Amino acid sequence: MKYVDEFRQLELAENLSNQITKVTTRSWKIMEVCGGQTHTILQYGLQDLLPETVELLHGPGCPVCVTPLELIDKAIAIAQQAGVILCSFGDMLRVPGSKTDLLEARAYGADVRIVYSPLDALAIASKNPEKQVVFFAVGFETTAPANAMSVYQAKRQGIKNFFLLCSQVTVPPVMASILQAPNNLVQAFIGPGHVCCVTGCREYEALSRHFRIPIVIAGFEPLDILEAIFQCVVQLENGKAHLQNRYSRAVTDSGNQPALRILSEVFDVSDRVWRGLGTIPKSGFKLSNAYKDFDAEKRFPVQYITAPESKICISGQILKGLKKPFECVAFGRQCTPEHPLGATMVSSEGTCANYYKFGIAQIT
Ligand code: SF4
């Protein structure tokens, strides 16, 4: 298949592996930002193709993993109200809240529905005017335009029973936050290809320049990632720090203009809470004043809900690249994909879930 098979060729992977080994003279730590890239790295065992001195750290780019616990509790509380239909992508249903999850809430009678697009949720609202339909809008810049479009269309069509429960976050601020931390380990980034399809490269260029750090935007196939690692190592070894776009088959400098226009029409930039990472300034979106009537947190009385994080779970440190899943005492014991304690064990993009699935464990 075009754009798939050609980026999975073993011989080319071995060539890149050899080239990386050849140019590496020191220890380097490189973080892939996106959860999809983490999945590829662990599925194909890419770390094993690298010299021991090149370590991959897994970043905060899994949307399910960074959604605050209290927002999951709010989604459950809204779903449990009479006359509500709560719509969500499937992977959010199993994310544990403080006491239960959306799947269990559905088993006890809540009307929770899996949809493939926020526009499907809008169609449900249109067909059920007597119900209040809430879409659980979670994700990065990749999902934000479709969420924005659903609210834009709701307003245009005069649909007043449709709401967003919104946890939209943006990538560059969290990368800056990781780099600013005194205990930061990251020396180069593999940039998030899908996010950059929407946003373009310019913010990443500024980030690379400001922090003097190599950033190589990459796709999601094994050769994409090995090529990005090679480019990162070449820059690090030569004392360079600039942006490279190695995903030019999908990413342009200026991004997807219609998508960016709908984002600025519907959303304002706002501070956001990231699970395990705390509040990061200007790291996400909230509905703008013109669309505030579609805000589920204003429509439903859930502002009082707060949720303390598990004392055992170290997913915050994992998302910053400071720890690996097998350093968590619960990994593979109290915490498994069947019984997850934290969000990074739930999603297929979650680092803990991937370490468990692909048997990367040091369980004693
Ligand atoms: S193994 Fe479970 S408890 Fe430990 S960090 Fe991962 S999600 Fe949290």
Side-chain angles (χ1 to χ4, degrees):
M1 190 193 300
K2 188 155 174 61
Y3 297 127
V4 176
D5 296 337
E6 61 198 288
F7 290 94
R8 293 182 182 177
Q9 295 178 47
L10 181 60
E11 198 182 319
L12 294 178
E14 284 171 348
N15 273 346
L16 275 166
S17 164
N18 291 337
Q19 285 186 63
I20 294 166
T21 303
K22 212 163 148 189
V23 296
T24 305
T25 64
R26 281 173 279 167
S27 292
W28 301 114
K29 293 187 193 300
I30 300 169
M31 173 176 275
E32 84 280 358
V33 175
C34 182
Q37 292 165 335
T38 303
H39 184 79
T40 300
I41 286 164
L42 296 166
Q43 180 180 12
Y44 289 93
L46 300 188
Q47 179 69 67
D48 297 341
L49 294 177
L50 305 178
E52 276 178 16
T53 45
V54 176
E55 186 185 351
L56 298 177
L57 309 177
H58 315 300
C62 158
V64 173
C65 305
V66 299
T67 300
L69 185 59
E70 68 178 37
L71 204 75
I72 295 157
D73 284 353
K74 286 178 181 179
I76 295 165
I78 291 171
Q80 288 169 332
Q81 296 196 20
V84 167
I85 301 173
L86 192 290
C87 299
S88 169
F89 295 137
D91 51 2
M92 289 309 296
L93 265 63
R94 287 188 56 246
V95 182
S98 303
K99 298 195 180 85
T100 182
D101 57 40
L102 283 168
L103 206 56
E104 195 174 42
R106 184 165 78 171
Y108 280 94
D111 193 345
V112 177
R113 303 188 191 181
I114 295 173
V115 292
Y116 295 100
S117 154
L119 293 172
D120 294 344
L122 183 61
I124 291 171
S126 174
K127 280 188 202 137
N128 297 275
E130 75 291 359
K131 301 277 189 180
Q132 308 293 297
V133 177
V134 178
F135 179 69
F136 196 5
V138 164
F140 289 90
E141 294 94 324
T142 36
T143 54
N147 294 336
M149 180 55 83
S150 69
V151 172
Y152 177 78
Q153 289 291 349
K155 191 169 187 183
R156 270 188 72 211
Q157 295 170 29
I159 297 174
K160 294 192 166 24
N161 63 327
F162 178 73
F163 307 92
L164 288 189
L165 179 60
C166 201
S167 178
Q168 293 286 177
V169 286
T170 52
V171 173
V174 76
M175 290 169 69
S177 145
I178 287 170
L179 293 173
Q180 282 160 342
N183 53 358
N184 168 50
L185 299 174
V186 179
Q187 294 168 298
F189 279 113
I190 300 172
H194 287 160
V195 163
C196 293
C197 290
V198 173
T199 63
C201 300
R202 286 175 187 148
E203 273 187 276
Y204 295 84
E205 198 162 14
L207 205 60
S208 170
R209 207 178 311 116
H210 181 80
F211 289 99
R212 293 206 38 77
I213 186 162
I215 301 177
V216 181
I217 294 167
F220 295 80
E221 295 299 331
L223 292 184
D224 285 318
I225 292 169
L226 285 171
E227 167 68 16
I229 294 167
F230 174 63
Q231 297 298 342
C232 283
V233 173
V234 168
Q235 284 200 47
L236 290 165
E237 289 281 344
N238 290 290
K240 307 277 188 204
H242 54 86
L243 178 81
Q244 286 175 275
N245 176 10
R246 305 302 291 189
Y247 197 32
S248 58
R249 66 186 186 276
V251 172
T252 61
D253 272 1
S254 53
N256 181 328
Q257 291 303 310
L260 293 172
R261 271 198 299 279
I262 193 76
L263 285 181
S264 65
E265 159 71 26
V266 170
F267 290 128
D268 284 340
V269 173
S270 70
D271 298 350
R272 273 279 164 201
V273 178
W274 293 59
R275 189 169 187 177
L277 305 175
T279 301
I280 300 177
K282 297 183 180 171
S283 66
F285 298 124
K286 65 173 185 185
L287 288 163
S288 67
N289 234 358
Y291 291 86
K292 65 179 187 320
D293 292 346
F294 297 93
D295 187 343
E297 288 193 78
K298 292 198 166 72
R299 168 64 183 79
F300 297 93
V302 290
Q303 297 81 3
Y304 67 93
I305 293 176
T306 55
E309 287 288 347
S310 152
K311 289 203 169 71
I312 306 174
C313 182
I314 59 162
S315 59
Q317 293 182 67
I318 291 170
L319 294 168
K320 287 185 259 193
L322 300 173
K323 296 242 162 148
K324 293 278 164 67
F326 48 70
E327 294 176 74
C328 172
V329 292
F331 179 70
R333 297 183 178 91
Q334 301 104 305
C335 186
T336 63
E338 290 73 36
H339 299 286
L341 285 186
T344 45
M345 188 55 99
V346 178
S347 164
S348 63
E349 295 187 354
T351 301
C352 295
N354 277 297
Y355 269 62
Y356 188 87
K357 181 174 178 185
F358 298 113
I360 304 165
Q362 294 184 357
I363 302 169
T364 52

